[in-house]
Amino acid sequence: MQPDISKAEKWFEDQNWKAFAFQKETWRSYLQGKSGLLNAPTGSGKTYAVWLGCVLEAMQSPREAKGLQIIWVTPLRALAKDICAAMNRVNDDLNLGWNIALRTGDTSQAERQRQKRKMPQTIVTTPESIHILLSQADAKKTFGNVKAVIVDEWHELIGGKRGVQMELAM
């Protein structure tokens, strides 16, 4: 039986877009519990291909998502803001009700403390910030409900210190 991706397809229609075959395949694969590597040209919709799989899973779950569920890692802070905006667009349009937050070197101390007290369901972050979170005494609690870790722009990380950091974190 194929997973139900109709809500993602409908969201695309509401944007006057047509989902690519690779996006639909990514949604189905994610809902079937698969993991993998998505390689597609810049601007082709990779963020929505991956994010909507996570959203569909959350919408199909009978329980409310508590704590950190999704970690999205990107090496570029400017890209992190764009990704967060795209995620929030889907979150708002589909009434998911999740808190989606940024956690980079630019995140204020006050915001970091808020996140420590109550982690968002999704965090968009950098390899360095992941290591800081992993070094905290309550890391097991923080990461205990994580369902997916998405590493964006892997080609920018691999072969360098930040790539090694990410590999060790995983």
Side-chain angles (χ1 to χ4, degrees):
M1 186 168 101
Q2 289 286 345
D4 182 10
I5 62 168
S6 61
K7 288 180 181 170
E9 291 174 312
K10 171 78 169 82
W11 185 82
F12 262 67
E13 288 172 17
D14 291 346
Q15 311 311 305
N16 293 314
W17 300 342
K18 184 175 181 343
F20 291 110
F22 83 87
Q23 291 169 317
K24 293 178 184 182
E25 183 180 343
T26 301
W27 302 332
R28 286 187 188 104
S29 294
Y30 184 84
L31 291 172
Q32 291 169 344
K34 295 179 182 176
S35 62
L37 176 70
L38 175 58
N39 182 18
T42 299
S44 64
K46 292 183 294 289
T47 299
Y48 291 125
V50 177
W51 177 239
L52 274 160
C54 300
V55 170
L56 290 170
E57 179 185 51
M59 292 175 78
Q60 293 172 14
S61 175
R63 290 182 282 162
E64 180 185 345
K66 295 193 189 283
L68 185 60
Q69 305 288 308
I70 309 295
I71 302 169
W72 193 292
V73 181
T74 180
L76 309 168
R77 281 186 252 174
L79 183 58
K81 291 176 185 176
D82 292 345
I83 290 167
C84 203
M87 289 175 158
N88 274 307
R89 180 179 181 181
V90 174
N91 184 47
D92 294 345
D93 288 353
L94 295 179
N95 297 312
L96 184 59
W98 277 17
N99 182 6
I100 301 166
L102 282 171
R103 176 125 180 173
T104 68
D106 295 338
T107 304
S108 72
Q109 191 62 29
E111 176 61 19
R112 289 175 196 211
Q113 288 303 315
R114 270 193 296 279
Q115 290 173 4
K116 188 173 176 90
R117 285 190 299 277
K118 184 176 182 195
M119 284 300 283
Q121 284 90 0
T122 300
I123 197 160
V124 181
T125 190
T126 60
E128 294 82 4
S129 291
I130 286 290
H131 272 272
I132 291 169
L133 288 169
L134 283 169
S135 70
Q136 304 296 312
D138 60 349
K140 189 172 184 176
K141 179 183 172 217
T142 298
F143 294 104
N145 294 322
V146 171
K147 293 183 174 22
V149 177
I150 296 104
V151 182
D152 205 350
E153 301 293 325
W154 181 243
H155 64 280
E156 292 287 333
L157 293 169
I158 197 147
K161 181 177 91 173
R162 296 174 87 205
V164 172
Q165 279 184 315
M166 213 41 247
E167 289 179 72
L168 290 171
M170 296 294 290

